[in-house]
Amino acid sequence: MIPALEVRGLTTRFATRKGYVTAVNNVSFSVAPGRIMGLVGESGSGKSVTAFSIMGLIDAPGEISAGSVRIEGEDMRQMTPEAQRKMRGRRVSMVFQDPMMTLNPVLRVGDQMAMAVQVHDRVSKKAAWERARDALDIVGIPAPTERLQAYPHQLSGGMRQRVAIATALLHRPAVILADEPTTALDVSIQGQILAEVRRLADDTGTAIVWVTHDLAVVSSLADDICVMYAGCIVERGTADQVINHPCHPYTHGLIQSVPSLHEPGRKLPQIPGSTPQLSQLPSGCAFRNRCAHATDLCRTDPPDAARGERRVLCHHPLEEEA
Amino acid sequence: MSEPLLKIDHVSKRFTRDLGLIQRGLARLTGGRGVETVHALTDVNLSVQRGEVLGIVGESGCGKSTLGRIASGIYAATEGSVTLDGQPVAQERGGRTQKLTTKVQMIHQDPFASLNPRMKVGETIGEGPRLNHLAKAPEVRARTRELLEQVGLEATYVDRYPHQFSGGQRQRIAIARALAMNPEVLVLDEAVASLDVSIQAQVLNVFTDLRRDLGLTALFISHDLSVVRHVCDRVAIMYLGRVVELADASVLYDKPLHPYTEALFASVPTLGTGRARFNPIKGEIPSPLNPPSGCAFHPRCPLAGPRCRAEVPRLRGTTVGRDVACHLHDGGTGVEAA
Ligand SMILES: Nc1ncnc2c1ncn2[C@@H]1O[C@H](COP(=O)(O)OP(=O)(O)O)[C@@H](O)[C@H]1O
Ligand SMILES: Nc1ncnc2c1ncn2[C@@H]1O[C@H](COP(=O)(O)OP(=O)(O)O)[C@@H](O)[C@H]1O
Ligand code: SF4
Ligand SMILES: [Mg+2]
Ligand SMILES: [Mg+2]
């Protein structure tokens, strides 16, 4: 089966006063239809830049310097800007942490969603409103016909985010990239949205990349997980593999620092230090000066990419525990 | 049980806001007043024993920060009182709130906004004790260095400015600044919420050490159930300005009783339990401008009956170590929680 999304060797850098920094470094993964890929990492690890790079939305001083992004087999990066624009919103769409990135505050929900339909499809206004209503229905918005009449500010934050997700869905895209869409929402509202998103992937076959810093969210939502650190995917596998049997020392440390896995009141295992600046990455493995397993090899050589389907970017991966 | 160190006694807090011009006109036509009232807290009773860490949990807008500010004497309660060792923490004078104690110190969520960028770390930490004449300058300087080490930073950092520090380091500086006042109670309002997990673990460890070494008493406000489980002895669950369940952490996490607590726990994704079923709470949090009648949770509660719509359930003791405000759970001892 052709993956809905296939990213190979994607590399994005920014020109800064101190020279280039590579925010996305040789990133590869693919997502099959109906599957949810959790892209997880701490702040600054390159998650958002990865999502924007997939969308082809990187502006100066940034530049995608290598790699391919295929949507249902078609390479976005080989397309003319015009063809790329046609892909966006129709075959691949994006949802942001702040729904107001998508929503226009001065237009009624129905009008702006209908316009989003008509950008790509020549249908009547009435048909476009109907599509909009159906999309609101799919994301579990109660009384969708009334909501279409509302202005964004009349909706709660959770409702606005659902409208943004519904808007992303209008053209039944093959891929939706969602960048921290529930981070600003309350857990009860997040729970509702996660439930709808899971159903969406299962029912419509849309492939979803769910970007988050929250390990518990990806652990309960995603089929597969990529862990990012300093621009690289350091570990990739099924959700069960990555969460329950992590092989990269960083993934392992990250999971161990979550309090719910430990007896209350005890000291938590902690990763020393903090995330390095991209302009000051150490030689060899970017994680080495925080890593308990680092050797001379880690100092001199960057660890190599693939190790089978289960990618672990490390010279000394941990044994998969039973 | 001994007298509590901090006592929050029948505290209610209402904020009134002036309406906009149009709304004001409409209100006048219908005989209303030109203001709207936010019921931020309603009849909250909590007490904290010396050395205890009490967790305050709930979704945004339920009144956690307001409670924290009232407990630290930054806001005065509209009704009720907060006392530390029997002494009020604030008083209202000429329409303004006066903080009466430095013994309750608050630590806020945003480590970037809470430190003055133009002040050296040493000055920031020493400012409180100096302004309040708690100690002489040389003493303050020595103490500042000691505090930095206590929160896991280097004593030499006194001469650096906040921008030279990461979020996690700044939050430790904020903790050191609060400790410099020799508080009896710390109020931590989402103090680790903005930190990455690996950094959050470092700051939680600092807190664990401080508890062991100093026997800290704290109100620990958070929306993160797993963090609260880790650091708190007892937990109060809030919904729309009221405490709906109050229990020992182990009792609560073993089995939440209030339907809201139960639903909240079910909504939270957990790590390592595989793909979730997701059984989220229906509907949205109602507006505190116009809280529902009876039990504020009744419009979302799967178990609500006629009594829930009509009558406010009181927080009552059920089993040992637990109080619940729910009509389904008022059988128990019938003893009203103090
Ligand atoms: N316009 C830009 N110029 C320079 N560096 C940038 C720019 N945008 C992002 N970066 C860098 O790229 C890195 C990754 O950022 P981002 O993808 O936003 O991280 P995340 O979403 O994982 O928190 C950061 O270190 C950031 O400083
Ligand atoms: N200074 C204020 N003026 C008016 N309303 C306020 C003020 N502070 C808080 N509120 C309102 O009180 C309610 C409780 O707020 P808050 O205590 O900040 O909740 P939480 O910290 O749980 O998110 C909210 O509806 C909020 O809008
Ligand atoms: S490559 Fe070396 S330093 Fe990097 S994570 Fe693996 S063991 Fe640690
Ligand atoms: Mg981001
Ligand atoms: Mg708050």
Side-chain angles (χ1 to χ4, degrees):
Chain A
M1 189 171 29
I2 307 177
L5 170 67
E6 186 176 18
V7 178
R8 286 279 159 258
L10 189 63
T11 302
T12 303
R13 56 186 192 174
F14 291 95
T16 72
R17 271 171 303 166
K18 296 176 198 158
Y20 283 111
V21 295
T22 306
V24 175
N25 192 352
N26 195 18
V27 159
S28 303
F29 62 88
S30 59
V31 192
R35 291 191 62 97
I36 301 180
M37 161 70 79
L39 184 59
V40 67
E42 297 185 284
S43 47
S45 58
K47 305 182 296 297
S48 295
V49 177
T50 300
F52 281 99
S53 302
I54 292 170
M55 291 294 285
L57 294 173
I58 295 292
D59 295 322
E63 147 193 55
I64 301 175
S65 55
S68 64
V69 173
R70 288 173 203 278
I71 307 291
E72 295 182 305
E74 289 184 70
D75 191 344
M76 290 263 285
R77 298 205 54 239
Q78 300 303 321
M79 293 177 192
T80 62
E82 175 59 18
Q84 273 194 33
R85 208 178 50 75
K86 285 199 172 136
M87 293 289 282
R88 286 198 286 271
R90 211 165 54 82
R91 305 310 306 144
V92 52
S93 53
M94 188 157 169
V95 177
F96 305 91
Q97 176 170 344
D98 179 1
M100 293 315 284
M101 297 264 292
T102 312
L103 301 180
N104 184 334
V106 303
L107 293 180
R108 284 186 300 173
V109 166
D111 283 326
Q112 50 188 302
M113 289 184 73
M115 279 165 61
V117 171
Q118 289 173 320
V119 168
H120 294 297
D121 291 342
R122 300 182 62 177
V123 296
S124 71
K125 192 169 174 198
K126 183 161 173 287
W129 271 68
E130 270 163 25
R131 283 244 306 262
R133 193 205 50 222
D134 292 347
L136 294 186
D137 207 27
I138 289 176
V139 296
I141 292 189
T145 314
E146 279 111 82
R147 302 296 171 155
L148 288 175
Q149 304 290 341
Y151 288 90
H153 72 263
Q154 295 173 308
L155 304 175
S156 67
M159 208 51 87
R160 272 182 229 153
Q161 192 57 284
R162 274 187 229 216
V163 171
I165 295 173
T167 305
L169 271 175
L170 285 170
H171 295 275
R172 290 294 169 98
V175 181
I176 292 181
L177 305 164
D179 190 2
E180 307 259 10
T182 58
T183 300
L185 304 177
D186 276 313
V187 282
S188 71
I189 308 302
Q190 166 172 280
Q192 293 168 355
I193 290 182
L194 297 183
E196 300 295 347
V197 164
R198 186 65 254 182
R199 192 160 58 228
L200 180 76
D202 292 343
D203 294 354
T204 65
T206 310
I208 294 170
V209 178
W210 195 264
V211 173
T212 180
H213 67 284
D214 190 328
L215 286 163
V217 166
V218 284
S219 150
S220 47
L221 175 73
D223 301 298
D224 304 287
I225 293 178
C226 290
V227 181
M228 283 196 88
Y229 185 80
C232 298
I233 289 181
V234 295
E235 176 152 17
R236 184 180 74 206
T238 65
D240 175 57
Q241 287 173 330
V242 172
I243 299 293
N244 296 320
H245 314 281
C247 291
H248 195 285
Y250 173 65
T251 317
H252 183 258
L254 199 59
I255 291 169
Q256 283 304 310
S257 51
V258 174
S260 64
L261 300 179
H262 303 276
E263 205 177 308
R266 291 289 171 81
K267 290 281 280 273
L268 300 168
Q270 61 185 51
I271 305 176
S274 55
T275 330
Q277 302 257 301
L278 287 178
S279 55
Q280 295 164 7
L281 290 185
S283 63
C285 171
F287 185 58
R288 71 168 161 83
N289 43 25
R290 305 176 70 192
C291 181
H293 306 269
T295 60
D296 276 350
L297 182 62
C298 307
R299 187 168 43 79
T300 51
D301 294 18
D304 228 356
R307 281 178 181 261
E309 234 338 86
R310 181 101 198 260
R311 179 188 158 120
V312 182
L313 200 64
C314 172
H315 290 303
H316 311 293
L318 311 172
E319 296 287 318
E320 266 190 54
E321 294 152 33
Chain B
M1 212 184 274
S2 58
E3 264 304 292
L5 176 59
L6 185 75
K7 194 160 165 43
I8 297 169
D9 198 17
H10 292 286
V11 163
S12 295
K13 179 72 180 178
R14 291 184 289 276
F15 294 103
T16 47
R17 281 199 291 243
D18 289 336
L19 292 177
L21 200 61
I22 296 168
Q23 283 171 304
R24 202 152 57 218
L26 283 175
R28 211 162 286 148
L29 285 178
T30 55
R33 300 191 302 136
V35 293
E36 56 183 10
T37 305
V38 180
H39 298 260
L41 293 174
T42 307
D43 198 19
V44 172
N45 292 291
L46 292 169
S47 50
V48 191
Q49 303 293 327
R50 199 177 283 280
E52 184 181 44
V53 177
L54 175 65
I56 309 287
V57 175
E59 297 181 274
S60 57
C62 72
K64 303 182 297 298
S65 296
T66 303
L67 182 62
R69 293 196 183 107
I70 291 177
S72 354
I74 297 169
Y75 287 169
T78 311
E79 280 148 24
S81 66
V82 177
T83 50
L84 181 78
D85 252 341
Q87 300 300 311
V89 297
Q91 69 179 13
E92 196 84 46
R93 232 175 127 180
R96 299 187 52 186
T97 306
Q98 258 185 338
K99 198 167 154 39
L100 295 177
T101 179
T102 58
K103 294 287 173 202
V104 185
Q105 287 294 323
M106 193 158 176
I107 294 163
H108 299 273
Q109 167 168 2
D110 187 355
F112 290 88
S114 62
L115 300 179
N116 183 340
R118 281 179 294 277
M119 265 163 88
K120 287 182 183 171
V121 165
E123 293 165 350
T124 291
I125 296 173
E127 192 186 27
R130 229 176 7 251
L131 292 180
N132 288 282
H133 311 290
L134 297 185
K136 296 204 166 61
E139 258 175 75
V140 172
R141 269 198 300 278
R143 175 97 174 100
T144 301
R145 294 170 155 267
E146 190 184 303
L147 282 165
L148 278 172
E149 284 176 351
Q150 213 157 28
V151 297
L153 298 173
E154 282 168 40
T156 53
Y157 288 177
V158 285
D159 289 324
R160 296 200 186 170
Y161 288 92
H163 74 262
Q164 293 171 286
F165 294 96
S166 65
Q169 289 173 321
R170 285 180 207 218
Q171 206 54 310
R172 295 182 206 203
I173 295 168
I175 294 174
R177 176 178 58 183
L179 291 176
M181 301 298 289
N182 293 324
E184 300 212 28
V185 179
L186 280 186
V187 175
L188 298 106
D189 188 2
E190 302 278 9
V192 297
S194 65
L195 306 177
D196 276 320
V197 262
S198 70
I199 307 304
Q200 177 181 292
Q202 296 171 358
V203 176
L204 289 177
N205 282 345
V206 167
F207 186 72
T208 304
D209 285 343
L210 291 173
R211 261 201 95 172
R212 190 198 50 220
D213 300 342
L214 309 177
L216 282 181
T217 307
L219 272 187
F220 192 94
I221 298 170
S222 174
H223 68 282
D224 187 326
L225 286 166
S226 93
V227 169
V228 166
R229 174 76 184 105
H230 192 73
V231 300
C232 299
D233 304 309
R234 264 191 322 144
V235 180
I237 306 284
M238 294 186 64
Y239 188 75
L240 221 62
R242 293 176 189 265
V243 176
V244 297
E245 185 159 4
L246 172 65
D248 292 345
S250 56
V251 172
L252 184 76
Y253 282 71
D254 190 37
K255 184 174 164 46
L257 269 197
H258 192 286
Y260 173 65
T261 320
E262 212 183 334
L264 188 67
F265 276 63
S267 293
V268 176
T270 47
L271 192 62
T273 47
R275 246 167 76 169
R277 294 155 281 99
F278 293 120
N279 190 12
I281 312 178
K282 282 163 208 58
E284 306 205 310
I285 303 168
S287 161
L289 284 172
N290 194 5
S293 64
C295 170
F297 188 56
H298 87 255
R300 306 173 78 190
C301 181
L303 304 172
R307 191 174 166 205
C308 309
R309 286 186 277 281
E311 192 186 325
V312 178
R314 321 203 54 152
L315 191 66
R316 288 168 193 277
T318 52
T319 46
V320 177
R322 161 147 44 200
D323 299 333
V324 181
C326 171
H327 292 310
L328 296 175
H329 298 285
D330 69 352
T333 59
V335 177
E336 216 163 284

